[in-house]
Amino acid sequence: IFHHPQLRRVTVNIKDVIVPFLILLGLNTIVLICWTAISPLKWERVHTDARDDFGRPLDSTGRCTVENNKSLPFVVLLLIINMAVLLLANIQAYQARTITVEFSESKYIGIINASILQAGIIGGPLLEWKKKRFSSRSGSNVSGIKVLNNPR
């Protein structure tokens, strides 16, 4: 469609959408299953030194940890797969920006994809920095909203 301006209408079939979706879902599922089989996460709870009058711990933190250091390749592979798809979606949204259609949403898809890319580029290193800088009591969560909230 980008190299043939004489074409006026393109119909997107279900197959055109479902095949890339299933490929991406399959790749992510395979990587996650291999990660779980080779280097499963283990739940670890750590009690603080604060004790009540009877010697029971007052506070504890818990998180999933990796026993052996084999999880990095899986994280990198998942990042590469999903960032490549996000980059491809951004490229296609950019290419489709000049298509004049009454209900063209490529501009909005491009904005959404750019926002996801920006959140990943800024949020990933920020969460890593936070993990090294503050203790687990500082209130981090997956979305990164409370990254710098340190109650101490």
Side-chain angles (χ1 to χ4, degrees):
I1 188 170
F2 304 114
H3 306 293
H4 301 286
Q6 69 273 15
L7 296 176
R8 304 298 277 166
R9 185 179 201 136
V10 174
T11 304
V12 178
N13 300 323
I14 294 175
K15 182 181 173 186
D16 297 330
V17 176
I18 203 76
V19 170
F21 170 75
L22 290 176
I23 290 171
L24 183 60
L25 179 68
L27 287 173
N28 278 298
T29 304
I30 289 169
V31 172
L32 290 172
I33 287 172
C34 291
W35 186 359
T36 303
I38 294 171
S39 179
L41 297 174
K42 302 287 183 193
W43 179 255
E44 176 183 283
R45 178 162 301 282
V46 178
H47 297 283
T48 61
D49 293 333
R51 305 278 178 184
D52 65 3
D53 294 336
F54 301 104
R56 297 175 294 199
L58 292 174
D59 193 17
S60 68
T61 58
R63 65 181 184 153
C64 288
T65 58
V66 180
E67 287 184 0
N68 51 17
N69 201 8
K70 295 181 182 177
S71 65
L72 184 63
F74 298 106
V75 173
V76 170
L77 191 56
L78 284 172
L79 283 173
I80 289 172
I81 290 170
N82 291 300
M83 292 304 266
V85 171
L86 183 62
L87 184 65
L88 181 63
N90 278 323
I91 291 169
Q92 288 181 342
Y94 178 77
Q95 289 174 340
R97 76 191 184 286
T98 58
I99 297 175
T100 56
V101 178
E102 185 178 353
F103 300 108
S104 175
E105 67 269 349
S106 65
K107 174 183 174 184
Y108 304 108
I109 292 172
I111 291 171
I112 291 168
N113 285 336
S115 298
I116 294 170
L117 188 61
Q118 181 183 15
I121 289 171
I122 294 172
L126 191 61
L127 285 174
E128 277 301 312
W129 171 79
K130 184 261 166 208
K131 201 182 339 177
K132 293 176 184 173
R133 175 81 168 88
F134 299 109
S135 71
S136 60
R137 293 186 53 172
S138 62
S140 69
N141 60 18
V142 175
S143 66
I145 293 172
K146 294 170 50 177
V147 170
L148 299 175
N149 181 18
N150 193 359
R152 292 184 221 175

